Amino acid sequence: MTARQFSVREARTGDVRAIKRLVEPLVQQRILLGKELVVFFESLQEFRVAVDDATGEVIGCGALHVIWEDLGEVRTLAVADDWRGAGVGHALLTSLEAEATRLGLRRLFCLTFEVDFFERHGFAATDEQLLVDPEVYSELLRSPDEGIAEFLDLSRVKPNTLGNTRMLKSLTA
């Protein structure tokens, strides 16, 4: 039996509905925040997808969202159930980290239930509520982005973040 092959690439508009389908079960389980289809289109440039080389099917996705000049967030990392354990999540995260480094980010944040996965990739749980200085915090409060609200640990998103672990990784050039 030959190993299944996949590739990671930048997402395209034709991938958006597949990304939403991939993420939807995790939204139903309250693991990820739900997003409207238009939001996926609007944030398309942030996404990478993993694609089954044999079928062209999108089997995983992940996004890198820039929060501030030195800080980004890994978002919406999801892998199809039948591809879990095949290195898809690792490949997606590696691609997102390379993009973060290219952009000049020095730290990556995530809010996750998959603590073991992120620990294996150099992230560490942090109790820090404020990962940015007070001036930056006040600027971030102006963002309408729900992910930023999660990052800031604002009370309006608490029902969606209960049980999640805040994790941080320092990137080296």
Side-chain angles (χ1 to χ4, degrees):
M1 181 175 172
T2 60
R4 298 181 297 175
Q5 300 292 313
F6 66 91
S7 351
V8 174
R9 62 168 170 75
E10 294 179 358
R12 302 175 187 144
T13 57
D15 300 323
V16 170
R17 285 177 175 77
I19 291 169
K20 184 159 175 60
R21 280 191 301 273
L22 193 61
V23 168
E24 195 56 35
L26 301 173
V27 171
Q28 297 303 318
Q29 297 171 44
R30 299 183 65 91
I31 291 172
L32 293 177
L33 281 178
K35 296 177 184 165
E36 297 297 330
L37 189 61
V38 67
V39 175
F40 284 108
F41 278 109
E42 291 173 343
S43 60
L44 181 65
Q45 300 91 329
E46 298 181 352
F47 275 88
R48 300 290 182 274
V49 291
V51 178
D52 180 334
D53 288 343
T55 66
E57 175 187 6
V58 173
I59 57 167
C61 64
L64 173 66
H65 184 77
V66 175
I67 294 177
W68 201 249
E69 64 188 312
D70 70 330
L71 180 65
E73 179 183 6
V74 173
R75 292 183 171 182
T76 322
L77 188 61
V79 175
D81 286 341
D82 57 337
W83 280 86
R84 292 190 93 181
V88 175
H90 170 78
L92 283 163
L93 186 55
T94 298
S95 177
L96 295 172
E97 288 181 7
E99 179 65 4
T101 300
R102 186 190 73 75
L103 291 171
L105 300 177
R106 295 189 312 266
R107 299 179 297 157
L108 282 180
F109 164 81
C110 70
L111 190 60
T112 185
F113 289 103
E114 299 292 338
V115 174
D116 292 341
F117 171 82
F118 282 97
E119 281 180 341
R120 287 193 306 271
H121 292 88
F123 284 76
T126 180
D127 290 332
E128 294 179 53
Q129 292 297 323
L130 195 57
L131 298 171
V132 294
D133 64 43
E135 294 84 27
V136 172
Y137 184 90
S138 66
E139 288 289 330
L140 293 177
L141 281 174
R142 298 176 185 172
S143 174
D145 185 278
E146 286 299 300
I148 299 292
E150 281 186 313
F151 168 74
L152 296 175
D153 205 24
L154 300 180
S155 60
R156 76 172 195 260
V157 294
K158 290 287 189 191
N160 293 314
T161 62
L162 292 176
N164 283 0
T165 299
R166 300 168 72 77
M167 301 189 82
L168 190 66
K169 179 177 183 174
S170 292
L171 301 174
T172 55

